Amino acid sequence: VYCSIGENCLGQAVLDRLKVASVLSPFAWARSNIDYIQSILEEDFADFPNPDFLHYRQRYQKLLVTNFKYRCTEGVFDPSVSQEFEFSHHDVLKTEEARASMLRKVDRFRGLLRSDGMAVFLYHHRLSSDLTPVTRKLKLFKSTVGLSGPGPKVVVAFTQRLVADDAQRRLELLQQDGILLCVFHTRRKWAGTDADVFGLADDDLFRAMISC
């Protein structure tokens, strides 16, 4: 079973489009990074939905709820995912239904960690210049979730590098610190707000990643 853990919505959008079996995590439809996630896991979600750490921030012409408790290493993450944990699609501050939905996602995530089946955690890293710092952080995440239950835990990170023409498009597979790295050499930058077209031009390469 796959589980998208950020850094933004692309991982879950791809899993949904390709109809890959997945557990919808509390990080799937959010903007965050592995430092935030590691802190959240270490406190077992204690302050993740805590209103004392939530406020509204103006982003993308919207007021979105963010949790300002967590910190991340500077320079490792794209600015869009490193300015507080962002609940991009859930107003967990004022809407009880959204808050209840997020807590159900937390429970499902905990259940996945405790299960005896294989869980594949999919992480989209938006910066691709130096992957070593983020793979070290993902190694720590893998160790943390590995202690939660008997099932094998696999961490797959993917990132994007733009190329000049279609002949250079490809999927490059690397191993680093026990993490599978999938480097997508693609023409179009993955950006936008519509999950139905977010990265759609590269679904052939995403299918290749899943098949690996």
Side-chain angles (χ1 to χ4, degrees):
V1 176
Y2 278 78
C3 181
S4 173
I5 56 170
E7 295 172 345
N8 60 10
C9 306
L10 178 58
Q12 190 62 49
V14 168
L15 294 176
D16 290 349
R17 267 204 315 266
L18 301 186
K19 304 188 186 317
V20 178
S22 65
V23 167
L24 192 59
S25 84
F27 316 119
W29 294 107
R31 290 184 180 91
S32 66
N33 58 65
I34 195 61
D35 279 355
Y36 294 164
I37 293 170
Q38 184 65 33
S39 297
I40 291 166
L41 291 181
E42 289 174 357
E43 69 171 24
D44 192 25
F45 293 90
D47 288 323
F48 178 64
N50 186 345
D52 291 342
F53 295 100
L54 303 180
H55 62 183
Y56 288 99
R57 294 284 298 269
Q58 184 74 35
R59 294 182 175 176
Y60 313 101
Q61 284 113 26
K62 298 178 183 178
L63 276 178
L64 300 177
V65 179
T66 65
N67 185 313
F68 56 83
K69 177 179 180 179
Y70 311 111
R71 298 291 180 266
C72 64
T73 306
E74 290 187 10
V76 175
F77 307 102
D78 187 84
S80 66
V81 298
S82 57
Q83 299 178 39
E84 303 178 356
F85 184 101
E86 179 189 294
F87 296 89
S88 307
H89 300 277
H90 297 80
D91 188 344
V92 296
L93 193 55
K94 285 188 178 179
T95 307
E96 187 57 39
E97 182 180 354
R99 183 176 177 81
S101 173
M102 188 59 62
L103 292 176
R104 288 194 297 271
K105 291 178 178 64
V106 170
D107 286 341
R108 285 196 294 266
F109 188 80
R110 286 174 171 149
L112 177 65
L113 297 186
R114 293 192 299 265
S115 72
D116 56 6
M118 179 183 286
V120 180
F121 297 95
L122 189 62
Y123 182 80
H124 170 213
H125 185 50
R126 295 208 65 195
L127 290 182
S128 59
S129 54
D130 183 4
L131 300 174
T132 301
V134 77
T135 54
R136 287 175 180 163
K137 295 170 184 293
L138 289 169
K139 182 180 180 180
L140 176 60
F141 167 83
K142 184 179 180 181
S143 175
T144 300
V145 297
L147 298 173
S148 303
K153 309 297 194 295
V154 177
V155 178
V156 179
F158 69 98
T159 193
Q160 178 185 38
R161 290 175 180 165
L162 296 179
V163 294
D165 58 66
D166 287 343
Q168 296 174 293
R169 286 184 73 250
R170 65 188 176 97
L171 174 62
E172 179 185 8
L173 301 179
L174 305 169
Q175 282 276 356
Q176 198 166 313
D177 286 324
I179 307 301
L180 175 62
L181 288 174
C182 300
V183 181
F184 286 72
H185 299 261
T186 62
R187 295 293 310 281
R188 300 181 187 177
K189 186 177 180 180
W190 297 330
T193 57
D194 188 344
D196 290 334
V197 299
F198 198 19
L200 181 65
D202 297 312
D203 270 359
D204 59 331
L205 297 181
F206 284 120
R207 287 189 183 91
M209 177 182 71
I210 298 297
S211 71
C212 290

